[in-house]
Amino acid sequence: MSSTSNQEFKIILGSSSVARKKILADMGFEFTTMSADIDEKAIRKEKPEDLVMALAEAKADAIVRKLENIKNQEKDAKTTTLVIAADTVENVETKLHGKEDAEPTLLITCDQVVVYEDKIREKPSDKEEARQFIKDYSGGFCSTVSSVLVTNLSTGFTKGASDKVEIHFNDIPEKVIDNLIEEGHVLNVAGGLIIEHPLVLPYVKEVVGGTDSVMGLPKDLTRRLMKEVL
């Protein structure tokens, strides 16, 4: 697959996650980002794999609608400008569909939940819930279930899948938990879990699977899905 130097397609990462942006950049791709702005709590599924896929699909749908609105607004603006310039309707249509339309655009949307004792954990609702989450992991283990959905915006073809990773922890000191809660980043991630955080990393005993998946974007899965929709 083409990398940054000769990338023959555009990529939109449908996420505002700093970790996902870093992973995709590390994979060698150039991309732009858009956020979906959906009500994630309105989508409920019993199985974590079903939930993360449903959320990734909802994010993709929302971003596609947003892109269509932007395109229609730009088309209206160009049409108005060209008509004022005394072009014919036929010329307007030709100028609106240039060479850039031939280049495929891939939209990547993702979601992730943490599973602890068979229960799904999303972002903590407050500091106390975040504290309880991290205390539970101390000396124990949890799993992350991540979804990736790749949509070829030129063809409408989509492929998606999920990836599961198990994380085992040594005992996490109370002071470390206090510092994590005070800092606040754990409030913005699924299950209050950031294994790459400098305060957390020393207490990670074992990761069964890819750390990139735990951070929200499994590289191998993403590459495979991108190839499948091109």
Side-chain angles (χ1 to χ4, degrees):
M1 182 177 292
S2 302
S3 61
T4 304
S5 58
N6 60 342
Q7 188 172 306
E8 297 173 353
F9 49 89
K10 295 177 182 177
I11 297 174
I12 299 172
L13 176 62
S15 173
S16 57
S17 162
V18 174
R20 289 190 182 113
K21 290 177 190 175
K22 184 180 185 307
I23 292 169
L24 194 57
D26 288 346
M27 291 169 68
F29 294 114
E30 291 180 342
F31 57 94
T32 56
T33 59
M34 287 186 76
S35 58
D37 305 322
I38 64 167
D39 179 8
E40 296 188 17
K41 298 292 186 184
I43 299 172
R44 300 291 87 186
K45 300 285 182 181
E46 286 187 16
K47 293 182 179 179
E49 293 84 1
D50 293 342
L51 177 60
V52 292
M53 281 308 307
L55 287 164
E57 289 166 359
K59 290 174 182 178
D61 290 343
I63 290 173
V64 167
R65 287 195 300 271
K66 189 181 288 190
L67 288 168
E68 286 174 349
N69 289 336
I70 292 170
K71 187 173 182 179
N72 288 336
Q73 288 169 6
E74 289 176 348
K75 185 175 179 180
D76 289 345
K78 288 179 181 178
T79 302
T80 302
T81 302
L82 290 169
V83 169
I84 290 172
D87 271 320
T88 64
V89 173
E90 288 79 13
N91 284 340
V92 169
E93 193 63 25
T94 300
K95 292 182 180 181
L96 286 174
H97 295 85
K99 192 176 179 181
E100 69 275 4
D101 288 346
E103 188 177 60
T105 299
L106 304 186
L107 170 63
I108 301 172
T109 50
C110 322
D111 198 76
Q112 184 185 72
V113 294
V114 171
V115 178
Y116 177 76
E117 293 186 346
D118 296 324
K119 292 181 180 177
I120 293 172
R121 288 181 166 181
E122 296 177 89
K123 293 176 184 177
S125 56
D126 53 34
K127 288 184 177 182
E128 286 313 306
E129 186 168 56
R131 183 185 300 278
Q132 187 58 55
F133 282 177
I134 300 168
K135 279 186 175 182
D136 289 340
Y137 308 145
S138 179
F141 69 94
C142 63
S143 301
T144 57
V145 178
S146 304
S147 64
V148 180
L149 180 74
V150 182
T151 304
N152 186 325
L153 296 178
S154 305
T155 64
F157 189 44
T158 66
K159 292 289 285 187
S162 61
D163 187 62
K164 188 173 183 178
V165 178
E166 198 169 273
I167 308 106
H168 295 256
F169 294 89
N170 292 314
D171 290 338
I172 304 172
E174 194 76 29
K175 183 62 177 174
V176 170
I177 298 174
D178 289 341
N179 289 338
L180 286 166
I181 300 303
E182 186 63 30
E183 181 192 70
H185 293 324
V186 292
L187 292 166
N188 301 316
V189 294
L193 182 70
I194 315 177
I195 67 163
E196 71 275 15
H197 194 293
L199 290 174
V200 178
L201 195 55
Y203 305 100
V204 176
K205 184 178 181 180
E206 183 184 12
V207 178
V208 184
T211 55
D212 49 347
S213 182
V214 180
M215 292 169 67
L217 190 66
K219 291 180 181 179
D220 290 345
L221 176 59
T222 302
R223 282 198 188 94
R224 176 170 66 79
L225 295 173
M226 290 170 72
K227 287 179 181 177
E228 289 178 4
V229 302
L230 281 171

